[in-house]
Amino acid sequence: MARRNVFRAPDATEVGPRRGRVRFVLVMIVLAYCGVLTRSWYLQTRRHADFVERAEGQHRSVVKLRARRGDIVDRKGRELAISAMVPSVSAIPALVRDPLGTAATLAQLLGVDAEVIGKRLARGNQFAWVKRQVTPAEAQAVEAANLAGIELADEPRRFYPNRSIAGALLGFAGVDGEGLEGIERDFDHYLRGREYVVGSLRDARGRQLMTGGYLPVEHLSGNKLELTLDLRIQQVAEQALAEQVKAMDAAGGVVIVLEPSTGDVLALAQTPTFDPNLYSQATPDAWRNRITVDVLEPGSTIKPFVVAAALDTGKVRPDDLWDGMGGRIRVGRKTVSDVHAVSVMNTLEIIQHSSNVGAVQVGQRLGREAYYGYLRAFGFGEESGLGLQGEVRGTLHPAEKWGLIHLATISYGYGLTVTPMQMARGMAAIANGGRLMQPRLVRRVVDAAGRTVEEFPPRVVRRVISEQAARDVSRGLELVTQNGGTGKKARIPGYRVAGKTGTAHKVGSGGYAKDKVRSSWVGFVPAQDPQLVMYVMVDEPKKAQYGGAVAAPIFAAIGREVLPYMGVEATEPVDLRALAAAGADVDVDEEVAEGIDPQARPWWFEAPLGNEGPSQVVVPDLKGKPLAEVVAQVEALGVELDVQGAGLVVEQAPKAGSLMAPDGRLTVALALPGEPPSLVAAALDLETDEGEGTP
Amino acid sequence: MLSWFSKKAASEEASTQVVEFRYDRPLLVITLLLIGFGLVMVYSASIVTAETQSGDGGYFFKRQVAYLVPGLGAMFAMANLHNEALKRYAPWLVGGAILMLVVAMLPGVSATAKGAARWIQLGPVRLQPSELVKLSLVTWMCAHLTRMDIDVRRWRDSWLPALLVTGILAALLMKQPDFGSTVICGAMMMLLLWVAGGRHWHTGIIILGGIALVALAIAIEPYRIRRLTAFLSPEADPQGTAYQINQSLNAFGSGSWTGLGLGESRQKLLYLPDCWTDFVFAIIGEELGWVGVFGVMIMFLLFVWRGLTIARRAASPFASLLAFGITAQIGFQAVVNMAVVTALLPTKGLTLPFVSYGGSSLVVSCAAVGILLNISRGKPPPAWLHAPARPSRMRRVADGVAVALRQRV
């Protein structure tokens, strides 16, 4: 053993751990463990709920998804707005290893701003969009680049297959499927797919780890909106309007086409318009729906209404004679004059010649109270009930505020403002035998399963004038297109046309502007059995000014196309010489006819969103359909078809609503009813989602 | 007052029992169970981080399995190296530890993580000297305190050299900085000295001095104050300093009685940092619940029980004290780690022995168990240790200085 140390204290004989002290330490260790164990018990059982709540608060995440937005179709089922699944590129910046390099690559692939994206990626948070709703070619390029932290996911995107046609009316929906303008906004509550949530687990960097699997969300989809609009009539109207606006070097214009018996809106054209697919490139001014938002002084187009009112009261008869007064009539201190003085005319000829002098006298005989009452009854000064937001009422002061001069000016269309829709609607009431209809834009709302959710039947608002008075005014309106009338250019070969021209000076600085007018035409055809009511207005035409020269030809151009299309038979012999003598354009503009192809494919069949890359087709929903129908549909698409099994379609790849290349291959699995689809699907090597219902 | 050792030695002499030189198998079984359990938990806790960082979910698991080779090797080697050798070469051990700490500071071989230069990088291998420092200090303390030529109750025989050696080590550790290991070293020094027979009032003064030093160390480093504040009021800054402890509690508290099930932890989804190293106990609590926590504690208490039993039966005062020291160190380190995870103590950098991921910790812990196993055999020293070694030149000089000092006092 070790040496004994000479300095060692005599009483220190023990070496090594002291027994009592070791015991003390042992007790301390056991106590410490008991303490931690108690603490564990307290944390894990007594306060369990707190920590679970805190923990779940951070890793339980709920992904909000929105079901597909409903389509908008015209009265014949043609698609005006549809939703298709397209890929979007997003990023989890926290997982991006090289933000600048990644941003540079993305900028090259997607045409985004490298600096903006680089900043977004460098932020290191959990989610950022890179570019939403990219083209299939871009998506492929991004996928091939295989960048860390960059992801692709399908999102529904809104397409407007007819591009700018009815663009201002349809408006547009934003990238999150919310209606922002036009019908998309005003009927959003029908169209919008309902939101649903999918529970998932999220790690500390925000990556979704487990989603609850696919849910059958069909029943949450938005409803389909069936408009009364007719795509073809809309196309004709827009084209005719656009051509005339261009020819007349005008600032713009609107066309309303109504079906008088139902109040159905067949076309609402306006120019300038925009392509809702590219809405961000248009100015908000172009988004405006001029038909319900713009107000204007009607000018001469009000005259049929004052005459109609007067005839209805019985104070005026159609064959009453009126003094032309040499083209000038004094009202108080003001003189009202005619463009062409008429010596004497009957009541209907006031309309034909658009005589201000005659109209003032009719108005004076009618009296302001009665006149005001009739104007209100015709729907002036109230909303038309089209269902679009922001519709204005126009200005129509109550009768007790009218002075003598007001009564006179309102008789020939100044001193009140109206909307184009009010004019069309009022004229439709005359065409409809005196019954004012509520204009109808939406006919039916249908859910995703095809069931009608809501129907909007035609609605008679009120009877405004008697049928006899309506007939009499119609005769006067028909005179307008005959020799001696102001609207001979509204003639349509083979049909009797009734209508009224209007030329209203616009209000400029310090009074009415001489050179700025709104030329309008409001009328219907055929006069004896009206099928179409049209209101045409051209804003600030420069080449000509009178409504008969500027607006009436548009009416004729539209009518020539649309009447045969609607199956309205011509009743009159076509006298080409007479027409030529009347100065009407006999040559039917073939271009208008050519431009309309009801079978036209949506534009992106030919041109996807980008410039290059393969064209895409939308995969139809084939589930539950028999083979014959599938073959017909797929042939129409032009893609190749793979059929497996027999019976009805139970599975298809790609899924319905997605885009596929036209040279792609569509696979369908068929099964007889009662056959377990999983078996079929497995045999056919198709994906089946767990939990999806069996058909 | 009889020492534990001397009482036992006396009774054995009287009964003339045949001494069996066999390992303490319960200790070996407990250790291997803890290591095996640790592997499972490291795999479960690290899989998400490993997947995210390296693409291989088993990255940390595989490395930990690889560390088992040197770990079990060290255990076997220490079990077969007689503990008398440790006593003889204890100063060399401390010298080696100091050398490693110095090397860990040299640029080029030093590896830094989270602001602390705690590692020596040797090719693919990273050594953490602080683990070895703790074991070396314990060994040296035991060797010194059981020297026959000193009186533990005398200040300059016991506290003075102990404070000197511990002070050098502590200074080097604080340079890294490794506050947790420093505190452990100081605490082990005091504990061993007191248990070996140091005077109560000496111990009291040193403890007070130690507390003052700890307070000073906290006061001069702003991040330690923040950690302490975070510990005292974890709700104040849940995303900042208190983030880890809050996430630890979220994990631990989610476990309830039986836990979410093995592998079902949510907090390991990158929420709880270091959830496979220092905070693996939180994942144990989350996945296995109170039952799992209880099981782990029972295993460590059984370990302590076996370790103290070995100490009681040890063949020499040195072996007895060493067995006690190793047992106490592992037992305390485990409970301190658990207390940190359950927010009973402020965050240190301490692992859960055998269970936490970490090569140095595993190898040193295994070596410590090897020492315990060797002590448990109770074999007499081999022949080459029988003859007292001729004191080295250094030792003779040191002894001469010591003698001169004592004579002057």
Side-chain angles (χ1 to χ4, degrees):
Chain A
M1 289 305 255
R3 299 165 294 156
R4 271 213 82 81
N5 191 310
V6 287
F7 297 105
R8 186 176 166 74
D11 55 338
T13 52
E14 325 83 357
V15 182
R18 300 293 196 274
R19 193 177 176 189
R21 296 186 184 183
V22 170
R23 284 217 174 127
F24 180 81
V25 172
L26 177 63
V27 169
M28 293 309 289
I29 290 179
V30 171
L31 279 180
Y33 276 85
C34 287
V36 172
L37 199 62
T38 312
R39 171 76 168 169
S40 302
W41 167 82
Y42 167 73
L43 291 176
Q44 294 189 303
T45 63
R46 309 300 295 182
R47 292 195 54 201
H48 173 65
D50 297 353
F51 292 120
V52 165
E53 193 188 316
R54 269 167 53 178
E56 287 200 340
Q58 56 186 7
H59 57 62
R60 175 71 50 84
S61 88
V62 165
V63 182
K64 268 191 189 172
L65 298 172
R66 190 172 284 287
R68 190 178 175 278
R69 188 172 176 83
D71 294 345
I72 303 176
V73 300
D74 82 344
R75 63 191 293 128
K76 301 232 163 94
R78 287 174 291 220
E79 285 156 344
L80 301 174
I82 60 170
S83 293
M85 300 302 281
V86 296
S88 280
V89 183
S90 61
I92 302 168
L95 296 185
V96 175
R97 297 216 178 96
D98 170 20
L100 289 180
T102 305
T105 313
L106 288 171
Q108 196 190 342
L109 295 177
L110 302 174
V112 289
D113 187 340
E115 208 171 307
V116 173
I117 297 298
K119 268 184 199 155
R120 232 179 262 176
L121 295 184
R123 223 168 279 159
N125 50 359
Q126 299 176 349
F127 182 84
W129 286 114
V130 176
K131 187 178 180 185
R132 293 184 78 172
Q133 306 182 342
V134 299
T135 68
E138 287 174 333
Q140 265 177 7
V142 170
E143 198 164 13
N146 193 23
L147 300 160
I150 302 296
E151 300 194 333
L152 275 166
D154 278 353
E155 271 198 300
R157 181 198 160 124
R158 204 69 166 154
F159 283 109
Y160 303 92
N162 310 298
R163 298 211 201 191
S164 66
I165 294 170
L169 174 64
L170 291 171
F172 48 84
V175 281
D176 288 318
E178 74 288 10
L180 294 179
E181 276 292 332
I183 289 179
E184 292 274 32
R185 178 193 60 205
D186 300 340
F187 295 89
D188 194 44
H189 53 289
Y190 292 121
L191 293 165
R192 187 188 279 250
R194 263 156 288 177
E195 236 176 30
Y196 62 100
V197 290
V198 179
S200 91
L201 205 55
R202 171 178 73 183
D203 74 11
R205 295 187 182 175
R207 291 179 301 181
Q208 304 294 337
L209 297 178
M210 298 165 218
T211 46
Y214 290 101
L215 296 171
V217 292
E218 191 78 336
H219 64 286
L220 297 174
S221 297
N223 296 318
K224 184 165 82 176
L225 216 55
E226 240 182 64
L227 301 187
T228 58
L229 212 69
D230 188 300
L231 178 60
R232 184 160 176 193
I233 300 175
Q234 177 78 24
Q235 272 176 303
V236 173
E238 288 195 9
Q239 191 150 0
L241 176 66
E243 278 174 9
Q244 185 73 344
V245 164
K246 203 175 165 206
M248 292 293 154
D249 197 13
V254 301
V255 170
I256 301 174
V257 184
L258 296 180
E259 185 178 64
S261 59
T262 55
D264 280 4
V265 176
L266 296 176
L268 283 183
Q270 74 175 51
T271 187
T273 183
F274 71 102
D275 181 353
N277 291 297
L278 310 167
Y279 66 86
S280 53
Q281 296 172 16
T283 58
D285 188 50
W287 299 347
R288 198 176 75 223
N289 187 344
R290 291 155 179 268
I291 284 143
T292 52
V293 173
D294 283 9
V295 292
L296 46 93
E297 284 182 303
S300 303
T301 48
I302 204 73
K303 286 170 191 161
F305 298 100
V306 68
V307 170
L311 291 172
D312 191 55
T313 55
K315 288 179 188 167
V316 172
R317 293 166 51 81
D319 48 4
D320 283 350
L321 290 178
W322 306 83
D323 185 357
M325 295 183 176
R328 299 171 77 83
I329 182 171
R330 282 194 70 85
V331 181
R333 279 173 297 169
K334 195 175 173 327
T335 304
V336 176
S337 57
D338 277 342
V339 179
H340 306 288
V342 184
S343 59
V344 66
M345 56 200 152
N346 71 19
T347 311
L348 301 184
E349 282 166 345
I350 295 175
I351 299 174
Q352 185 188 19
H353 302 305
S354 193
S355 165
N356 294 342
V357 174
V360 168
Q361 291 175 71
V362 173
Q364 282 167 347
R365 194 179 299 177
L366 182 60
R368 59 178 192 181
E369 298 290 343
Y371 187 23
Y372 174 76
Y374 275 100
L375 284 177
R376 290 304 302 250
F378 271 113
F380 297 107
E382 69 177 21
E383 285 164 23
S384 68
L386 202 56
L388 295 175
Q389 279 178 28
E391 189 175 350
V392 295
R393 296 198 180 105
T395 315
L396 179 59
H397 296 295
E400 56 269 23
K401 290 193 179 168
W402 293 10
L404 274 179
I405 292 174
H406 288 115
L407 175 62
T409 59
I410 290 173
S411 297
Y412 62 90
Y414 289 89
L416 78 167
T417 59
V418 301
T419 64
M421 197 66 219
Q422 286 172 344
M423 287 304 301
R425 183 186 179 214
M427 186 52 81
I430 295 174
N432 196 32
R435 278 188 310 273
L436 184 75
M437 303 299 293
Q438 174 161 325
R440 186 166 68 142
L441 188 56
V442 178
R443 196 156 62 168
R444 214 151 63 100
V445 180
V446 185
D447 72 8
R451 288 181 300 258
T452 301
V453 175
E454 205 169 337
E455 227 170 342
F456 301 94
R459 198 166 77 78
V460 181
V461 178
R462 65 183 81 94
R463 172 166 284 283
V464 185
I465 53 172
S466 68
E467 258 183 75
Q468 183 58 47
R471 258 200 306 275
D472 290 339
V473 178
S474 297
R475 278 200 288 135
L477 290 167
E478 215 180 329
L479 289 176
V480 173
T481 60
Q482 288 165 9
N483 290 338
T486 55
K488 281 180 286 189
K489 285 194 173 176
R491 288 180 190 177
I492 301 167
Y495 299 92
R496 286 164 61 186
V497 174
K500 180 73 194 79
T501 57
T503 311
H505 288 273
K506 288 178 86 167
V507 178
S509 49
Y512 287 102
K514 274 237 166 78
D515 51 341
K516 283 187 179 171
V517 297
R518 285 195 182 92
S519 312
S520 52
W521 166 267
V522 59
F524 50 88
V525 64
Q528 74 280 19
D529 175 24
Q531 298 294 318
L532 289 176
V533 172
M534 266 185 247
Y535 174 82
V536 180
M537 187 279 286
V538 176
D539 193 14
E540 291 183 26
K542 292 190 182 65
K543 300 278 160 69
Q545 287 203 331
Y546 289 112
V550 176
I554 299 177
F555 171 89
I558 297 169
R560 274 203 302 274
E561 286 304 316
V562 171
L563 287 169
Y565 164 74
M566 287 181 72
V568 181
E569 285 188 25
T571 52
E572 310 303 309
V574 180
D575 185 347
L576 292 177
R577 269 178 307 171
L579 284 169
D585 188 1
V586 182
D587 296 329
V588 175
D589 193 351
E590 282 302 324
E591 221 181 309
V592 177
E594 284 303 309
I596 304 148
D597 176 9
Q599 297 302 313
R601 288 171 148 197
W603 58 271
W604 70 85
F605 279 75
E606 284 79 35
L609 286 171
N611 311 326
E612 68 286 331
S615 310
Q616 299 289 312
V617 295
V618 178
V619 178
D621 189 3
L622 300 170
K623 272 195 191 162
K625 293 189 171 158
L627 187 56
E629 205 175 316
V630 170
V631 171
Q633 279 203 23
V634 173
E635 261 181 12
L637 282 179
V639 300
E640 280 188 67
L641 178 67
D642 265 357
V643 183
Q644 285 153 331
L648 302 176
V649 175
V650 289
E651 289 290 342
Q652 66 176 88
K655 283 191 177 148
S658 54
L659 294 174
M660 69 181 287
D663 57 347
R665 186 173 283 272
L666 182 67
T667 312
V668 290
L670 289 80
L672 294 168
E675 212 172 319
S678 56
L679 260 180
V680 186
L684 304 178
D685 193 28
L686 281 167
E687 285 180 41
T688 45
D689 295 317
E690 286 278 294
E692 209 166 38
T694 56
Chain B
M1 185 159 46
L2 283 173
S3 92
W4 194 350
F5 159 73
S6 44
K7 187 194 173 197
K8 192 226 167 200
S11 69
E12 243 176 31
E13 254 172 66
S15 61
T16 61
Q17 271 179 320
V18 179
V19 183
E20 281 188 48
F21 306 127
R22 293 196 58 180
Y23 299 117
D24 187 83
R25 273 183 292 187
L27 181 79
L28 186 63
V29 169
I30 290 165
T31 306
L32 293 180
L33 279 177
L34 277 171
I35 291 174
F37 176 70
L39 282 176
V40 173
M41 291 318 296
V42 162
Y43 186 46
S44 173
S46 70
I47 183 163
V48 177
T49 312
E51 179 78 45
T52 308
Q53 289 180 354
S54 68
D56 175 14
Y59 178 79
F60 293 108
F61 173 71
K62 287 174 190 163
R63 289 183 72 101
Q64 185 77 342
V65 170
Y67 294 143
L68 269 183
V69 176
L72 294 178
M75 192 191 289
F76 183 79
M78 296 314 290
N80 287 292
L81 175 70
H82 198 277
N83 54 70
E84 271 306 300
L86 290 175
K87 183 176 183 183
R88 177 163 295 179
Y89 296 110
W92 293 97
L93 262 176
V94 173
I98 292 172
L99 189 69
M100 282 180 81
L101 284 175
V102 172
V103 168
M105 282 173 209
L106 298 178
V109 287
S110 166
T112 310
K114 293 175 190 169
R118 292 185 187 172
W119 290 272
I120 299 173
Q121 187 85 44
L122 287 175
V125 187
R126 262 185 169 194
L127 299 176
Q128 191 175 3
S130 61
E131 295 290 338
L132 192 63
V133 166
K134 285 180 239 173
L135 186 60
S136 307
L137 179 69
V138 167
T139 310
W140 179 82
M141 283 295 294
C142 294
H144 178 76
L145 293 172
T146 51
R147 273 173 63 171
M148 299 309 277
D149 55 350
I150 65 154
D151 182 353
V152 191
R153 290 178 298 180
R154 283 177 69 154
W155 174 266
R156 47 175 193 269
D157 276 10
S158 57
W159 287 110
L160 195 64
L163 282 174
L164 263 174
V165 171
T166 312
I168 292 170
L169 290 172
L172 288 168
L173 282 171
M174 285 304 282
K175 193 93 175 83
Q176 287 186 343
D178 187 348
F179 191 52
S181 293
T182 312
V183 170
I184 288 279
C185 284
M188 282 315 297
M189 183 268 286
M190 294 175 209
L191 183 72
L192 285 170
L193 226 163
W194 179 68
V195 166
R199 286 188 191 279
H200 291 302
W201 69 274
H202 282 168
T203 314
I205 287 171
I206 294 300
I207 288 176
L208 288 177
I211 290 173
L213 276 177
V214 167
L216 183 71
I218 290 173
I220 58 170
E221 280 289 352
Y223 77 88
R224 291 199 188 109
I225 297 178
R226 279 204 301 275
R227 277 191 195 169
L228 191 68
T229 321
F231 165 69
L232 294 174
S233 55
E235 311 296 330
D237 184 16
Q239 288 304 314
T241 321
Y243 175 78
Q244 193 170 26
I245 190 60
N246 272 314
Q247 295 297 352
S248 172
L249 288 176
N250 287 351
F252 199 80
S254 298
S256 191
W257 286 107
T258 53
L260 301 173
L262 191 61
E264 293 297 313
S265 163
R266 303 284 187 251
Q267 290 293 108
K268 69 183 181 189
L269 302 175
L270 313 181
Y271 289 103
L272 176 56
D274 302 331
C275 69
W276 62 100
T277 58
D278 296 356
F279 281 84
V280 71
F281 190 63
I283 303 296
I284 294 172
E286 187 183 9
E287 295 196 345
L288 304 176
W290 191 83
V291 173
V293 167
F294 184 71
V296 173
M297 290 196 177
I298 289 295
M299 294 301 280
F300 275 105
L301 282 173
L302 285 175
F303 183 92
V304 169
W305 167 62
R306 283 323 299 168
L308 293 185
T309 304
I310 290 166
R312 192 153 45 88
R313 293 181 185 164
S316 71
F318 166 71
S320 180
L321 191 58
L322 183 58
F324 165 81
I326 287 170
T327 307
Q329 201 232 305
I330 289 179
F332 270 123
Q333 184 166 336
V335 80
V336 166
N337 175 277
M338 295 175 191
V340 166
V341 165
T342 52
L344 283 171
L345 288 176
T347 310
K348 303 242 175 46
L350 290 178
T351 58
L352 187 59
F354 309 118
V355 181
S356 286
Y357 171 84
S360 302
S361 165
L362 185 69
V363 171
V364 172
S365 299
C366 281
V369 170
I371 295 170
L372 282 180
L373 291 174
N374 179 269
I375 295 170
S376 72
R377 295 173 81 175
K379 275 171 84 172
W384 63 277
L385 283 168
H386 265 312
R390 185 169 178 273
S392 68
R393 183 183 301 266
M394 283 267 287
R395 184 55 176 268
R396 272 175 295 166
V397 171
D399 278 358
V401 171
V403 167
L405 273 171
R406 282 177 192 135
Q407 280 172 342
R408 278 188 62 188
V409 171

